[in-house]
Amino acid sequence: MRPALLSRLVLLPALVAALAACDPAARAPGAASGPGTPKPVAARPSAETLAARDYYGRVEANYLAQDLLRIDGGETDAPFGPDDLAENFMRIAFYDEFTEEGGRLVAQSRENRLHRWDTPLRLNVEFGASVPLDQRETDRAAITSYLERLSRLTGIPMRVTAWRPNHTVMILNTDERGAVAPRIAELAPGTSEAALRSVTAMAPETYCTVFAFTSGTSATYSDAISVIRGELPERLRLSCIHEELAQSLGLVADYPRARPSIFNDNEEFATLTRQDELMLKMLYDRRLRPGMTLAEARPIVEIIAAELMPGES
């Protein structure tokens, strides 16, 4: 999430998903299939999409002028110790930000169990027809590189592939986002009408959203869908990529006291910080288990935080 703007959104409904077990190589969307294949072109964007690009360009410029959307990690001016790390982790991993009430998603913090993946992550990227081709290349490269980093931190194999994806990232302009409900329902039949509306009628202050799914009462994720505004300029899109993919792994909430961190509503950091890396390592430590309550996990979390930051306070 980001400022008081609700610029991120996480919902964790249940979905039974069937996964298969073969792996042909996937070709990136837009890649030529052979000699003589016409080079793909992006569709002409609508006036609404062009206006949105201008608007979010001004939003990003305003953030950057305030030294926000930082990509330096915060090591020089945002110290934290093991106690901070443990507290921030518990607030981010054990609390949901949103709940569904009256067919709408509303901001409401409530304690939940620990959730995470225990299977390899196969992530596919889908672009709206009017997203420029050079932007698609930039975003695909950023996602591929970031997945490698997340895989090293968590120990979960992750890669970009169109084969049997269990996480689909959609980068869509206004032109495509309003009509994406059938595609989301195809990927995740359990998605609620409220969740679908949060995408198709995305509020201007919302930049991106992620839905992570479990099967029945399980606390282990089986699928995820992220939706990112294609009209965002590069730093804001990168910020969405970093936060949504990390949130989809189980760091589901924002906490205003977490610093340095992307899991904070103040938009200070655009990319994963050192503390965020440690929280991901903590989340996938084998001493913690999906389904654990906060009370069960607290003493273990405090031990792991002290181990990750020996001699620091």
Side-chain angles (χ1 to χ4, degrees):
M1 293 288 302
R2 289 302 187 211
L5 294 177
L6 295 182
S7 53
R8 308 288 191 270
L9 180 64
V10 179
L11 178 69
L12 305 172
L15 171 70
V16 177
L19 302 178
C22 58
D23 188 7
R27 188 174 68 241
S33 59
T37 302
K39 184 177 180 180
V41 295
R44 184 184 299 274
S46 67
E48 188 176 4
T49 286
L50 293 175
R53 285 182 190 170
D54 289 342
Y55 170 74
Y56 291 112
R58 295 193 299 272
V59 170
E60 179 179 284
N62 182 55
Y63 284 140
L64 294 176
Q66 300 177 67
D67 196 27
L68 300 176
L69 294 178
R70 293 168 53 180
I71 58 174
D72 58 81
E75 288 86 351
T76 59
D77 64 343
F80 65 96
D83 291 344
D84 302 311
L85 175 62
E87 178 63 22
N88 292 337
F89 174 81
M90 288 185 285
R91 294 294 307 188
I92 291 168
F94 285 90
Y95 285 84
D96 290 337
E97 279 191 299
F98 293 88
T99 188
E100 188 170 331
E101 290 185 359
R104 300 182 63 87
L105 299 180
V106 297
Q108 184 179 86
S109 179
R110 62 178 182 180
E111 187 177 326
N112 200 349
R113 298 178 297 157
L114 186 77
H115 287 71
R116 71 185 187 198
W117 295 79
D118 66 358
T119 57
L121 197 67
R122 301 181 302 277
L123 185 147
N124 188 34
V125 188
E126 298 183 2
F127 293 98
S130 64
V131 174
L133 299 186
D134 57 348
Q135 179 180 322
R136 301 184 199 189
E137 293 178 2
T138 297
D139 291 350
R140 181 175 291 277
I143 290 170
T144 300
S145 175
Y146 186 45
L147 272 191
E148 293 172 355
R149 182 179 177 188
L150 293 176
S151 182
R152 289 193 300 269
L153 291 168
T154 62
I156 298 292
M158 303 181 191
R159 61 195 176 91
V160 175
T161 176
W163 175 81
R164 302 277 184 173
N166 50 16
H167 188 161
T168 299
V169 175
M170 300 178 176
I171 300 178
L172 309 172
N173 288 335
T174 302
D175 307 345
E176 304 95 19
R177 199 175 52 256
V180 78
R183 176 57 177 156
I184 294 177
E186 176 186 5
L187 292 167
T191 307
S192 70
E193 288 297 321
L196 291 174
R197 281 196 299 272
S198 74
V199 173
T200 59
M202 188 176 281
E205 63 269 20
T206 300
Y207 305 152
C208 43
T209 184
V210 61
F211 307 101
F213 301 91
T214 63
S215 177
T217 59
S218 172
T220 300
Y221 293 138
S222 59
D223 296 86
I225 297 173
S226 295
V227 181
I228 298 172
R229 284 186 178 274
E231 303 98 334
L232 298 177
E234 189 167 345
R235 185 70 66 87
L236 273 175
R237 291 200 320 278
L238 182 63
S239 176
C240 273
I241 288 168
H242 272 240
E243 184 166 3
E244 301 309 344
L245 267 60
Q247 283 196 316
S248 78
L249 298 177
L251 296 178
V252 297
D254 285 324
Y255 182 47
R257 296 178 60 184
R259 184 174 187 265
S261 178
I262 59 176
F263 303 108
N264 190 306
D265 280 340
N266 62 14
E267 209 70 75
E268 182 177 9
F269 293 94
T271 55
L272 211 65
T273 68
R274 176 179 175 239
Q275 179 168 211
D276 298 330
E277 291 184 330
L278 295 178
M279 286 193 286
L280 283 168
K281 289 182 178 180
M282 185 179 297
L283 177 63
Y284 283 85
D285 190 292
R286 292 185 178 276
R287 286 168 286 185
L288 296 177
R289 303 183 310 278
M292 268 188 163
T293 66
L294 177 56
E296 291 171 330
R298 181 182 294 276
I300 302 171
V301 167
E302 292 172 348
I303 291 171
I304 297 172
E307 292 175 353
L308 288 172
M309 303 188 70
E312 300 186 54
S313 60

